[in-house]
Amino acid sequence: MDLDPVATNPAHYKVILENASVRVLEYTDQPGDATTPHAHPDSVMYTLSSFRRRLTSGSMTREVELPAGMATWVPAQEHFGENIGDTPTHVIFVELRTGGGDGTVSPLGPAGG
């Protein structure tokens, strides 16, 4: 099963740059929208809008609320999510193709930092 978010959720994810080192994705949704299961490699996420979402991976669920203008580290993970707020989500993901990270594992959402 292909868990590439661009393939599983093409209405929400769009590739805006891709090369041997990174792939940059734009993500957008509206309140109430949900994604199907997909996977992300180690990534940097930059929030262009404030949003609130519920992320689920296996039996674990986490709610996150992030302000606009925040850059966060997102460790590799598989999940699906739902916009549970009252604002659209607009995010840029910079997916790393050459590793990265600090060796810590976070199962859902962005890592603190």
Side-chain angles (χ1 to χ4, degrees), residues 8-69:
T8 60
N9 297 277
H12 299 293
Y13 286 94
K14 167 173 95 167
V15 176
I16 57 175
L17 171 76
E18 187 167 15
N19 63 34
S21 298
V22 298
R23 181 171 80 156
V24 181
L25 304 179
E26 179 179 31
Y27 175 84
T28 57
D29 73 13
Q30 298 296 316
D33 285 352
T35 59
T36 59
H38 58 278
H40 295 278
D42 287 344
S43 305
V44 173
M45 179 178 70
Y46 184 74
T47 59
L48 296 169
S49 67
S50 300
F51 62 88
R52 192 166 151 241
R53 4 191 0 88
R54 180 178 300 118
L55 300 171
T56 302
S57 180
S59 63
M60 188 152 95
T61 298
R62 178 177 173 205
E63 291 187 7
V64 295
E65 187 166 357
L66 296 173

Side-chain angles (χ1 to χ4, degrees), residues 1 8-9 20 39 41 49 53 59 67 71 74 77 93-94 99-100 102 104 107 109:
M1 177 182 208
T8 60
N9 297 277
S49 67
R53 4 191 0 88
S59 63
V74 180
Q77 59 190 271
F93 285 96
V94 179
D102 59 8
T104 60

Side-chain angles (χ1 to χ4, degrees), residues 62 70-75 77 104 106 108-113:
R62 178 177 173 205
M70 182 175 192
T72 57
W73 174 252
V74 180
Q77 59 190 271
T104 60
S106 176
L108 278 180

